[in-house]
Amino acid sequence: MDRAPGRRELASLLKMEDFSSVYAEADRVRKVNVSDVVYIRSILEFSNHCRRQCRYCGLNCTNRKAKRFRMKPEEIVSTARQAWDAGYKTVVLQSGEDPFYTPQLLGEIVREIKKTGIKITLSCGEMSFEDYSYLKECGADRYLLKQETADPEIYRALHPDSQLEERISCLKNLKKLGYETGSGFMIGLPGQSLETIAADILLIYEIGCDMAGIGPFIPHPDTPLKNSPHGSTELTKRAVALTRILMPEINLPATTALGVLDAEEKNSVFSCGANVVMRKVTPDAYKKLYEIYPADLGETDIYKERRELEEMIHRLGRIPV
Ligand code: SAH
């Protein structure tokens, strides 16, 4: 695209009856700009304690049914080392917003893991500029903080204790500090329209994000949104495709949530612009407890899963890296 389209224009594209030409264009743009490579990243979910009340998320602090866990720093480091040994070059360390892991403690963990040479993405929520800066000094390479929704009203309704402006200011700080910055949003949040999704795509463009995780909302039975329907997989793929065309070099994961709704869709999103896939390396005992949304998770075998993932990517005619 020679210029950024407007919100209306994007919304009307999202609505098109036959989207196949846009998918084909997204696939072409992906191939020209980021090649056939699919980046494989590991994700380690190290704590499900959270001080926030996000109404869609199973980890929110008002969910009394959630059984909470925290991994010990040594355990986090040793699991990340295993991921490195299995061939992963990147690990995403994700958690709820858990004050137990102070920036100092997180910094120590980052320094220790970095000794292997693995790249570290942190995904631990909102922090001050100073704390992000400190963690960057400790060796963190990337940060993942989804905007969740670009609509201030929907944002307010879903986050009783945080604000969209804060979220956006965190993302801008991360960019300023030189982090490879990932954002993203959910498809199918209550109140969302095609124009909201268009605004979401444009916000990622305006911030200049290096990565965007776009996934369907999945209702969790122990949250206030338990009766809301899940997001559409088709609309998710459309949003991924338009984001690829608008930001040719961005990294776009095939999100886990998409695979939860439909494994086929998760693979087909690779022909709609996606070029990244993440695999959980969280130890089994904790993996089941890290329930952002309900998912049927198998047992973790870091080495076996890594091999299977590479085979799957080969089958799609792409190159695992
Ligand atoms: N505490 C961190 C990590 C949040 S969990 C942070 O604030 O960034 C990671 C992501 O899971 C969220 O950013 C959100 O986009 C997604 N998520 C949470 N609940 C979800 C649900 N019910 N359905 C789909 N995705 C969800």
Side-chain angles (χ1 to χ4, degrees):
M1 286 185 197
D2 301 332
R3 54 170 185 90
R7 189 190 290 203
R8 290 245 172 86
E9 207 177 328
L10 274 181
S12 63
L13 283 171
L14 284 166
K15 201 163 48 192
M16 284 195 326
E17 194 151 323
D18 181 2
F19 206 73
S20 52
S21 59
V22 184
Y23 283 141
E25 175 63 5
D27 199 38
R28 190 192 67 79
V29 171
R30 185 270 309 154
K31 195 174 170 72
V32 171
N33 293 279
V34 296
S35 80
D36 281 336
V37 161
V38 174
Y39 294 103
I40 306 181
R41 298 182 172 163
S42 59
I43 174 161
L44 171 52
E45 300 145 327
F46 64 91
S47 162
N48 68 354
H49 287 261
C50 191
R51 64 191 174 107
R52 298 283 191 190
Q53 297 176 28
C54 312
R55 294 168 70 84
Y56 45 82
C57 181
L59 307 190
N60 88 74
C61 63
T62 64
N63 179 8
R64 304 257 171 264
K65 286 199 187 152
K67 229 177 104 195
R68 307 282 172 172
F69 74 92
R70 285 190 178 110
M71 282 175 72
K72 292 203 184 74
E74 310 82 77
E75 213 178 359
I76 301 175
V77 173
S78 68
T79 309
R81 283 205 187 111
Q82 276 181 49
W84 170 259
D85 288 341
Y88 290 102
K89 297 286 179 282
T90 307
V91 64
V92 181
L93 302 179
Q94 192 179 78
S95 67
E97 284 198 14
D98 182 357
F100 173 85
Y101 301 89
T102 58
Q104 284 63 38
L105 179 54
L106 271 179
E108 272 175 52
I109 294 169
V110 167
R111 279 187 204 280
E112 211 41 55
I113 295 176
K114 278 297 273 198
K115 289 181 184 163
T116 55
I118 202 167
K119 293 245 187 216
I120 299 183
T121 303
L122 292 176
S123 180
C124 310
E126 295 175 27
M127 295 184 200
S128 68
F129 183 87
E130 290 69 31
D131 291 345
Y132 284 149
S133 170
Y134 175 72
L135 290 166
K136 187 88 187 40
E137 277 167 39
C138 293
D141 303 280
R142 309 185 175 117
Y143 206 99
L144 179 56
L145 184 82
K146 297 194 193 182
Q147 76 222 27
E148 315 298 2
T149 172
D151 181 305
E153 265 176 46
I154 301 178
Y155 195 96
R156 216 173 299 125
L158 296 177
H159 305 92
D161 53 2
S162 60
Q163 284 168 0
L164 180 59
E165 300 87 82
E166 267 303 305
R167 200 83 177 163
I168 294 175
S169 129
C170 284
L171 284 164
K172 290 186 173 159
N173 286 342
L174 290 163
K175 273 299 286 185
K176 212 179 291 170
L177 286 162
Y179 277 96
E180 269 187 47
T181 304
S183 189
F185 55 92
M186 278 172 275
I187 298 284
L189 291 174
Q192 189 183 58
S193 65
L194 294 181
E195 287 224 5
T196 324
I197 298 174
D200 270 309
I201 298 173
L202 289 172
L203 180 59
I204 286 168
Y205 178 79
E206 279 156 27
I207 297 172
C209 293
D210 305 284
M211 205 267 248
I214 302 169
F217 156 72
I218 302 175
H220 186 296
D222 305 319
T223 63
L225 295 194
K226 61 181 173 208
N227 295 323
S228 302
H230 69 71
S232 144
T233 55
E234 173 63 24
L235 206 45
T236 304
K237 291 198 295 176
R238 290 182 175 207
V240 170
L242 288 174
T243 307
R244 166 62 66 209
I245 296 170
L246 191 59
M247 303 185 71
E249 291 178 15
I250 197 169
N251 282 324
L252 293 173
T255 49
T256 319
L258 191 57
V260 165
L261 290 182
D262 189 330
E264 285 302 311
E265 295 283 18
K266 179 155 178 171
N267 288 345
S268 76
V269 73
F270 285 109
S271 58
C272 308
N275 68 324
V276 176
V277 65
M278 294 199 202
R279 201 40 122 236
K280 290 175 191 252
V281 293
T282 312
D284 284 328
Y286 309 123
K287 192 160 78 167
K288 291 183 191 70
L289 301 180
Y290 195 85
E291 202 184 59
I292 291 175
Y293 45 78
D296 202 4
L297 301 170
E299 306 219 321
T300 300
D301 179 333
I302 297 184
Y303 298 89
K304 183 164 156 264
E305 284 179 84
R306 167 83 203 189
R307 279 195 311 277
E308 286 173 357
L309 201 53
E310 290 187 11
E311 284 161 20
M312 183 278 282
I313 294 168
H314 280 301
R315 275 200 300 279
L316 295 173
R318 304 279 282 276
I319 308 155
V321 167

